Amino acid sequence: MRIVAGRYKGKNLISPKGEDVRPTTTRIKETLFNILQCDVPSARVLDLFAGSGSLGIECISRGAEHVTFVDKSRDSIALIRENLKGIDGYYSVINSDFMAALNGAAYNGIKYDLIFLDPPYASGLAELAIDKIFEFDLLSQYGIIVFEHGSEKTYTLTADGYKQRTKRMGTVTAEFITRKHIALMTGSFDPFTRGHEAVLDEALCRFDEVVVACLINEDKKYTFTNAQRLALVEAVCRTKKGARAVFSDKFAVEVAKEVGACALVRGIRDNDDVEYENEMAKYNKEHGYDTVFIQPDFYGEISSTKVKEQLKSGDFSSIPPITVALMSSEEYQKRLCGA
């Protein structure tokens, strides 16, 4: 058993004696870290069922900021300390039950960028740990849980707001569990235009899910009712995987919290929009949310004001095709004509 890469590449590690501890083989470790190589530098790491400490030590070698080794076995703790001899880096070694260690992390407000779970196969301990990690919110925004188990069993993630990727490596399978990255796209959408659709399409390329929130601006006089505006957004979202529509009378940052968004999306047409949007982005940042600006290559010059003038003359070219049937209905026509 050896370190695969980094400062201590090739250094041999002591393997545990007996069958109580089953270390990750060098071949499996190499495969895991080929996948994780960009995520280790500067990461805060938790090696929860550490055993020999091989996974956490690999992270130290590859530039992790800090590694916490946890194991309830005193023999394993002694082995980890032995393997850490000659290794420089920031780490802590904790002789503790995994549940107590997770409780301690939650109490201290710690979040981890990488969490390794490699308990005895079929013990059910990793599944319990994953539930607690979610409950205590211990995973950073872009963090990864790596759960290693025997390939004879399967694991299906059921928690909302998370996703998994499965990598089978012969008799061993690894689950890579991450947060879903949800963005909130907000606007009045009076009406939803092809420019809005272009922003949504780009946002869906960047995020796992985009929630399109139809909001209320008290300073605006709307052509369409709240129900009509939402219906148009819903019609478009139904045609796009990962998109869904909501209506709210709350502030954007409040809606972002409700839907679990990690960022807000705003479309910009030209430099005239930038000053206003930067002020909004500053406000969002103060409330814990980054703002992603998208300037679409197509239909970026379209404004809702211009579209409403086109609609009055029967020109539907600037709205998404899926909404044309709705716009053509008698109810909408009456609204457009001021009836």
Side-chain angles (χ1 to χ4, degrees), residues 160-180:
D160 292 335
Y162 294 87
K163 60 181 180 177
Q164 77 182 96
R165 173 190 172 192
T166 301
K167 174 68 175 178
R168 180 164 180 160
M169 301 164 285
T171 61
V172 177
T173 293
E175 310 291 349
F176 298 86
I177 300 169
T178 57
R179 294 179 184 272
K180 283 184 179 178

Side-chain angles (χ1 to χ4, degrees), residues 210-213 230 233-234 237 243-247:
V210 178
V211 179
V212 185
L230 178 60
V233 179
E234 286 177 330
C237 287
R244 63 186 177 94
V246 299
F247 178 86

Side-chain angles (χ1 to χ4, degrees), residues 3 33 64-65 76 79 105 117 136 180 184 189 192 212 214 217 222 227 242 269 281 287 313-314 326 337:
I3 297 176
F33 281 92
E65 178 182 290
S76 291
L79 180 59
L117 305 177
F136 295 153
K180 283 184 179 178
L184 180 69
F189 306 125
F192 195 88
V212 185
C214 193
N217 185 336
Y222 292 114
R269 290 188 297 268
H287 289 77
S313 63
L326 284 174
C337 296

Side-chain angles (χ1 to χ4, degrees), residues 106-117:
Y107 179 80
N108 290 293
I110 298 172
K111 291 184 185 291
Y112 296 100
D113 304 305
L114 276 174
I115 301 177
F116 291 99
L117 305 177

Side-chain angles (χ1 to χ4, degrees), residues 279-297:
E279 285 299 313
M280 292 300 297
K282 181 180 178 182
Y283 175 87
N284 296 338
K285 186 69 173 179
E286 290 170 352
H287 289 77
Y289 296 96
D290 290 327
T291 301
V292 176
F293 294 124
I294 295 177
Q295 188 168 11
D297 293 330

